[in-house]
Amino acid sequence: MDTDVGLTVGALLLGTLITAVGYGITTTQTYMYRSRFPQDPWFIRWTVWTLLALDTTHIVFSWHLVYHYVVLNFGNHAALERVAWSFSATIVITAIITTIVHCFYARRILILGNRRRLVPALILVLSVVRLALGFLACAQIITLKTFQRVQHDTLATVVVGLGSGTLADCVITTTLVYLLRTHKSQFSPGYVDESLTGRSTAVRTPKPDIALASYIGSLNSTLDRIVYWTVNNGVLTSVVGVAFLVTQFSHMPANMVFIALHLLLSKRLTRERRTTTDTVSTRRKSRSAR
């Protein structure tokens, strides 16, 4: 059987290199976060460090994938038809990262939505489905052993699992954009809502207040940035997920493109989470300094 090296180890190598760059960015952001926001709530700091630990584990498994196919099995085309155990491990790690990120956003939506629980509950249900099917897919891949059988026998598990994660991303993106836009519309030079500014009472001014107007402008600018990153990250994560499904089940011969795309999924989610954390923490720090 002829093997296209570009679609197998070539795609895997490129995917791992891009993943390593994403890991470097995440590590730098985490270090900067530690230096800039040491007073953040414990659960946010715990989430940041947990995601970094999971991201580190994920990149180690990614490197093992490359080492397994490029070094240990150099020139062995038959090995390209068998799934390395480290790929199964990356599936579990990605599912755990996805669940943690979704839980973080579910909490943000709960706070922004005045404690209304319907949408956060939906996100949590979809995340649990994503997590459970991630573990199931890992078990199936370990049992099936070859890429041909994996592509044939895991279709339902992978489609439902990634589909639930993608649906959760869409719900999160749509809900956050709506809530943030709604909150932004509440700001005017004459009114500031206490639930958004952290002040003890609403502030009403009968005439323009330069300091207040500056504060509102800064707050609206922060909301615009959050909306921008929410939409972009949500769309990009969904696109990578769909591309993964298409390449895995397109019956491309000896294809490892889908593995490369799957490795990128966790980096998209981790970067999405870190960007939002930095923006919110910056706003919190600025507000506490007033």
Side-chain angles (χ1 to χ4, degrees):
M1 176 181 178
D2 295 332
T3 302
D4 189 331
V5 177
L7 288 178
T8 53
V9 293
L12 178 61
L13 180 60
L14 286 177
T16 304
L17 289 175
I18 296 173
T19 300
V21 172
Y23 175 72
I25 295 173
T26 300
T27 304
T28 302
Q29 284 186 321
T30 302
Y31 174 78
M32 293 174 63
Y33 170 83
R34 176 182 176 275
S35 302
R36 296 174 62 192
F37 310 112
Q39 303 302 321
D40 263 5
W42 68 268
F43 56 87
I44 293 182
R45 287 183 280 115
W46 179 88
T47 302
V48 169
W49 289 108
T50 300
L51 287 176
L52 179 62
L54 289 169
D55 212 21
T56 302
T57 305
H58 184 275
I59 195 66
V60 169
F61 287 140
S62 301
W63 291 336
H64 176 269
L65 266 175
V66 174
Y67 189 80
H68 173 81
Y69 289 111
V70 177
V71 178
L72 296 181
N73 290 283
F74 178 77
N76 182 5
H77 288 191
L80 298 178
E81 300 176 9
R82 297 190 296 272
V83 185
W85 65 265
S86 46
F87 174 59
S88 303
T90 63
I91 292 178
V92 171
I93 298 297
T94 301
I96 295 173
I97 290 175
T98 302
T99 303
I100 292 175
V101 172
H102 285 173
C103 288
F104 168 79
Y105 280 116
R107 178 181 176 275
R108 298 305 306 169
I109 290 173
L110 183 66
I111 294 172
L112 291 172
N114 295 320
R115 302 291 172 177
R116 287 190 286 267
R117 300 179 179 179
L118 178 60
V119 174
L122 174 61
I123 295 171
L124 292 178
V125 169
L126 292 172
S127 299
V128 169
V129 172
R130 171 72 175 89
L131 180 64
L133 292 181
F135 277 92
L136 177 59
C138 175
Q140 288 178 323
I141 290 173
I142 292 174
T143 303
L144 295 171
K145 299 184 184 307
T146 66
F147 283 111
Q148 183 176 6
R149 295 184 63 190
V150 166
Q151 289 177 315
H152 183 269
D153 296 342
T154 64
L155 177 61
T157 303
V158 174
V159 168
V160 175
L162 275 184
S164 61
T166 302
L167 180 58
D169 288 330
C170 293
V171 172
I172 289 169
T173 301
T174 304
T175 306
L176 280 178
V177 169
Y178 170 77
L179 291 174
L180 291 170
R181 285 297 182 185
T182 300
H183 286 326
K184 182 180 177 182
S185 68
Q186 295 176 7
F187 292 115
S188 66
Y191 180 75
V192 180
D193 191 319
E194 63 179 44
S195 66
L196 303 174
T197 63
R199 301 185 181 185
S200 57
T201 58
V203 178
R204 297 180 183 274
T205 57
K207 57 183 179 180
D209 186 322
I210 296 177
L212 182 60
S214 176
Y215 177 77
I216 292 173
S218 175
L219 195 54
N220 281 335
S221 176
T222 300
L223 290 175
D224 282 336
R225 288 203 305 273
I226 295 176
V227 169
Y228 172 81
W229 283 110
T230 298
V231 172
N232 279 272
N233 286 321
V235 170
L236 286 173
T237 302
S238 298
V239 167
V240 173
V242 171
F244 166 77
L245 290 175
V246 171
T247 53
Q248 179 174 1
F249 299 108
S250 62
H251 301 292
M252 296 169 60
N255 154 41
M256 287 187 181
V257 176
F258 72 94
I259 298 181
L261 290 172
H262 187 271
L263 296 179
L264 296 177
L265 266 180
S266 70
K267 296 299 172 289
R268 287 299 321 155
L269 289 162
T270 307
R271 288 275 294 117
E272 178 182 345
R273 169 67 178 81
R274 289 293 304 116
T275 300
T276 303
T277 298
D278 283 349
T279 306
V280 172
S281 296
T282 298
R283 183 67 250 165
R284 185 187 297 110
K285 183 177 181 180
S286 173
R287 187 176 64 194
S288 63
R290 292 180 177 272

